[in-house]
Amino acid sequence: MTLRVTFLGTSGAVPTVERAPSALYVNREGDELLFDCGEGTQRQMMRFSTGFGFEHVFLTHMHGDHILGIPGLVQSLDFNDREDPLTIHGPPGSKRTVESLVRAGDHDPGFPVRVREVAPGDVAVDREEYEIRTFETQHRTSSMGYALVESDRKGRFDREKAEEELGIPPGPKYGKLHSGEPVELDDGTVVQPDEVVGPPRPGRTFVYTGDTRPVESTVDAAADADLLVHDATFTEADADRARQTAHSTAKEAADVARRADAKRLALVHVSSRYAGRVDELESEAAAVFDGEVFVPDDGDEVAVPFPDGD
């Protein structure tokens, strides 16, 4: 089952020639989701071939480098005759601002756009296969992060035991057992699911912080995360600046990932002062975090595998 993350914009507040403002696209088995929407996001989506099939936009906060792409994106969708509804989620107090962006230039979208405020601790999207949960972050304005948490998967079905030891012929009975239903054999024997089905297997967890200081709520949200995408605007050489602007350093982001026992860490919202030398951020984080750490370029696509590799 596919879980792919495309980094559309990885710059800090000021875009560079190589990096656009914040935006991140997720495709989870055909469900397409957009996190933040910096200026020019619709062009990045065309450039990196994500498509425009998303139903939800998740905004971490209302600073311009995370939201100013909304007018252009909505109007581009409209010009392409979109009919499907779009839901834009934002933190408490964001609704009026987002609605004004949706209708910038007196534009009236020809498709339904719903703007919804969600608070840290809410479930923004609740589906059988996964949830999009919100968690508290610490920035200079109302802000929050998002965690895509998949439901547990069925345990592995032991076909060899079913067929050779228990004498269950291949067919519909396998499906029933794998779905948790007992089955009766021709000789009257009843086979329980746990005789041939292993324990549930964990799904995947993807976490995106947006702009934030390192906070305990991120550690909690990112527990055992398969991919944590964390603010790493500065190196420790600019730690004072990070504190003043309510951002994180690469070392601080790595410490969050380490304490959360995350598997991979992507460092984003990179300050323009590090153009051409992001290796400093990676090296700083790698000294703290034992998992895979990287600074993605715009357009990088990352597949998120299952924890058990299956």
Side-chain angles (χ1 to χ4, degrees), residues 2-8 23-36 41 45 50-58 127 130-132 146-150 204-208 227 229 300-304:
T2 302
L3 179 57
R4 293 195 307 272
V5 177
T6 303
F7 294 90
L8 299 175
L24 188 149
Y25 205 84
V26 173
N27 186 321
R28 194 239 167 236
E29 197 63 16
D31 286 0
E32 300 173 48
L33 313 164
L34 177 63
F35 294 83
D36 280 334
T41 291
M45 293 165 73
T50 61
F52 292 93
F54 59 99
E55 299 177 20
H56 296 273
V57 180
F58 304 92
R127 296 191 172 165
Y130 65 91
E131 294 180 342
I132 306 291
Y146 296 90
L148 187 160
V149 182
E150 291 184 330
R204 295 162 292 192
T205 298
F206 157 77
V207 177
Y208 173 61
L227 176 61
V229 181
D300 282 356
E301 182 179 275
V302 175
V304 182

Side-chain angles (χ1 to χ4, degrees), residues 199-233:
R201 296 173 291 164
R204 295 162 292 192
T205 298
F206 157 77
V207 177
Y208 173 61
T209 66
D211 294 1
T212 185
R213 291 291 296 148
V215 288
E216 199 65 31
S217 50
T218 301
V219 175
D220 293 340
D224 299 316
D226 299 280
L227 176 61
L228 168 61
V229 181
H230 199 290
D231 176 354
T233 308

Side-chain angles (χ1 to χ4, degrees), residues 287-309:
V288 175
F289 176 57
D290 289 336
E292 179 186 350
V293 58
F294 61 100
V295 176
D297 292 326
D298 286 11
D300 282 356
E301 182 179 275
V302 175
V304 182
F306 286 106
D308 54 8

Side-chain angles (χ1 to χ4, degrees), residues 120-302:
D122 287 349
V123 175
V125 173
D126 185 0
R127 296 191 172 165
E128 183 178 351
E129 301 86 3
Y130 65 91
E131 294 180 342
I132 306 291
R133 303 172 185 172
T134 62
F135 60 93
E136 185 177 10
T137 57
Q138 182 184 327
H139 197 41
R140 291 173 294 162
T141 186
S142 177
S143 67
M144 62 189 183
Y146 296 90
L148 187 160
V149 182
E150 291 184 330
S151 304
D152 284 347
R153 296 170 293 147
K154 297 175 183 177
R156 287 189 176 86
F157 184 81
D158 191 337
R159 182 187 178 101
E160 183 177 349
K161 180 178 180 181
E163 189 170 358
E164 297 183 9
E165 293 186 26
L166 300 177
I168 308 172
K173 288 184 173 63
Y174 283 12
K176 289 183 178 180
L177 286 164
H178 207 187
S179 296
E181 300 177 44
V183 299
E184 184 174 348
L185 305 184
D186 292 342
D187 63 2
T189 301
V190 176
V191 179
Q192 298 297 328
D194 60 8
E195 295 183 65
V196 291
V197 180
R201 296 173 291 164
R204 295 162 292 192
T205 298
F206 157 77
V207 177
Y208 173 61
T209 66
D211 294 1
T212 185
R213 291 291 296 148
V215 288
E216 199 65 31
S217 50
T218 301
V219 175
D220 293 340
D224 299 316
D226 299 280
L227 176 61
L228 168 61
V229 181
H230 199 290
D231 176 354
T233 308
F234 301 103
T235 66
E236 280 294 300
D238 295 303
D240 288 343
R241 181 65 176 161
R243 285 188 289 271
Q244 291 166 5
T245 57
H247 287 292
S248 297
T249 67
K251 179 181 179 181
E252 289 171 329
D255 186 61
V256 170
R258 179 188 61 80
R259 291 192 290 129
D261 200 22
K263 296 175 181 63
R264 286 195 287 177
L265 170 65
L267 307 173
V268 296
H269 204 266
V270 177
S271 170
S272 58
R273 69 185 66 193
Y274 304 109
R277 52 190 184 98
V278 297
D279 57 316
E280 296 179 20
L281 297 163
E282 290 179 339
S283 298
E284 183 174 288
V288 175
F289 176 57
D290 289 336
E292 179 186 350
V293 58
F294 61 100
V295 176
D297 292 326
D298 286 11
D300 282 356
E301 182 179 275
V302 175

Side-chain angles (χ1 to χ4, degrees), residues 3-75:
L3 179 57
R4 293 195 307 272
V5 177
T6 303
F7 294 90
L8 299 175
T10 57
S11 177
V14 179
T16 69
V17 173
E18 294 83 13
R19 298 181 184 275
S22 297
L24 188 149
Y25 205 84
V26 173
N27 186 321
R28 194 239 167 236
E29 197 63 16
D31 286 0
E32 300 173 48
L33 313 164
L34 177 63
F35 294 83
D36 280 334
C37 189
E39 59 189 281
T41 291
Q42 87 273 34
R43 183 177 181 276
Q44 296 291 87
M45 293 165 73
M46 296 177 208
R47 183 182 176 194
F48 301 124
S49 303
T50 61
F52 292 93
F54 59 99
E55 299 177 20
H56 296 273
V57 180
F58 304 92
L59 303 175
T60 58
H61 64 290
M62 293 295 105
H63 284 166
D65 56 319
H66 293 253
I67 63 172
L68 289 179
I70 292 174
L73 179 60
V74 168
Q75 292 184 35

